[in-house]
Amino acid sequence: MSESSSDLLAVRCNGLCKTFFSEAENLEVLRSLDLQIRQGESCAIMGASGSGKSTLLAILGGLERFEKGEVYVDGNNLGALSEKDLPRFRNKSVGFVFQFHYLLKDFTALENVALPAYMCGVSKKDAWEKAGSLLSKMGLSNRADHYPSELSGGERQRAAIARALINAPRIVLADEPTGNLDAANAEAVRSLLFSLPSMTGCSLLVATHDAGLASAADSVYTLSSGRLVRQ
Ligand SMILES: Nc1ncnc2c1ncn2[C@@H]1O[C@H](COP(=O)(O)OP(=O)(O)OP(=O)(O)O)[C@@H](O)[C@H]1O
Ligand SMILES: [Mg+2]
């Protein structure tokens, strides 16, 4: 489902509420949160540990449901998508980059990058070609046949970014993408991530504790008491 006024917005959240319910307590994590991200814009979200950054990214990526509010991502009304439609939305519209790379250890870098396209029905030849081209854009053409255990931390994270891009998502969601890297690798991943909007036209949303990483974004917010405050 889409609406024309959201066409130029990669993300539009209005009044988003998310509570984790349990017997001991109900934890209100997001309280009427609003957010707009334009197509091609980069945005960073900071905030204390436990403030809800990962929860927000999981909702925008269709990994977590919410009780109240409107959430449109790439023109999809997430509140109205059925469980059956969510995997397609996740595969087509969103690329995920996490703190840990989650590459499959028994597959080479090239295979790891190609698999999400192959699983979406792209032919093996096309998927492998596209994966090779993305790895080369990430500076990894000479590492394509290496297994994750044979790559450095920064190289693994760059392979994970290539994998996030293989299905040409309209938005890349990155959760602490440099949290596990040394300073030099963090810098390489930072510069690569923030080159994505101009490279592919995607939008980028990064959740991070690293003020240096956040400062590279077009807009920076702090998540506090369940809402975003623009810095
Ligand atoms: N599945 C869940 N069930 C219950 N509570 C949860 C669940 N996931 C997260 N929470 C709680 O929701 C709050 C927000 O968690 P979240 O992981 O979004 O925070 P965060 O801002 O990403 O923190 P960090 O900076 O440490 O990564 C935390 O108090 C957390 O314990
Ligand atoms: Mg988190």
Side-chain angles (χ1 to χ4, degrees):
M1 198 177 288
S2 67
E3 57 167 27
S4 55
S5 62
S6 289
D7 282 353
L8 290 176
L9 291 175
V11 171
R12 182 170 74 75
C13 291
N14 287 107
L16 169 59
C17 297
K18 171 70 187 175
T19 303
F20 288 109
F21 296 95
S22 74
E23 279 188 11
E25 57 162 0
N26 293 336
L27 187 64
E28 277 186 76
V29 178
L30 305 180
R31 302 174 188 206
S32 198
L33 178 145
D34 299 326
L35 173 65
Q36 295 197 347
I37 305 175
R38 291 186 308 278
Q39 199 55 51
E41 183 184 8
S42 60
C43 173
I45 296 183
M46 302 192 67
S49 183
S51 59
K53 303 178 296 296
S54 297
T55 302
L56 175 61
L57 264 59
I59 289 173
L60 298 178
L63 294 168
E64 188 80 66
R65 307 307 303 242
F66 53 96
E67 308 90 62
K68 216 169 133 197
E70 278 188 326
V71 180
Y72 283 84
V73 177
D74 188 19
N76 296 277
N77 180 352
L78 295 199
L81 282 189
S82 67
E83 291 293 330
K84 185 170 70 63
D85 295 329
L86 279 172
R88 183 181 157 75
F89 161 75
R90 285 196 289 261
N91 283 332
K92 292 290 297 174
S93 295
V94 187
F96 290 100
V97 180
F98 299 99
Q99 178 172 0
F100 300 99
H101 55 81
Y102 296 117
L103 297 171
L104 302 170
K105 69 179 174 51
D106 296 328
F107 293 86
T108 65
L110 186 73
E111 290 165 344
N112 265 286
V113 175
L115 277 173
Y118 186 57
M119 280 155 49
C120 276
V122 175
S123 73
K124 185 166 178 187
K125 178 172 173 290
D126 287 352
W128 261 242
E129 261 177 32
K130 195 163 177 218
S133 144
L134 278 170
L135 280 174
S136 119
K137 282 188 183 141
M138 303 296 134
L140 290 174
S141 43
N142 57 350
R143 295 286 185 276
D145 296 326
H146 287 228
Y147 289 87
S149 62
E150 301 168 338
L151 298 172
S152 74
E155 288 169 345
R156 284 181 207 140
Q157 199 59 320
R158 283 186 277 146
I161 294 171
R163 180 184 54 184
L165 295 177
I166 187 87
N167 287 332
R170 296 291 296 281
I171 181 154
V172 171
L173 301 172
D175 197 352
E176 284 296 351
T178 58
N180 199 32
L181 300 177
D182 64 30
N185 277 307
E187 171 53 27
V189 166
R190 184 197 66 77
S191 109
L192 195 56
L193 270 178
F194 282 95
S195 72
L196 296 181
S198 55
M199 192 192 290
T200 74
C202 70
S203 305
L204 174 68
L205 176 56
V206 181
T208 184
H209 288 280
D210 178 349
L213 178 67
S215 69
D218 297 324
S219 41
V220 182
Y221 297 89
T222 303
L223 183 45
S224 173
S225 305
R227 288 174 178 229
L228 290 171
V229 180
R230 185 140 188 182
Q231 289 188 358

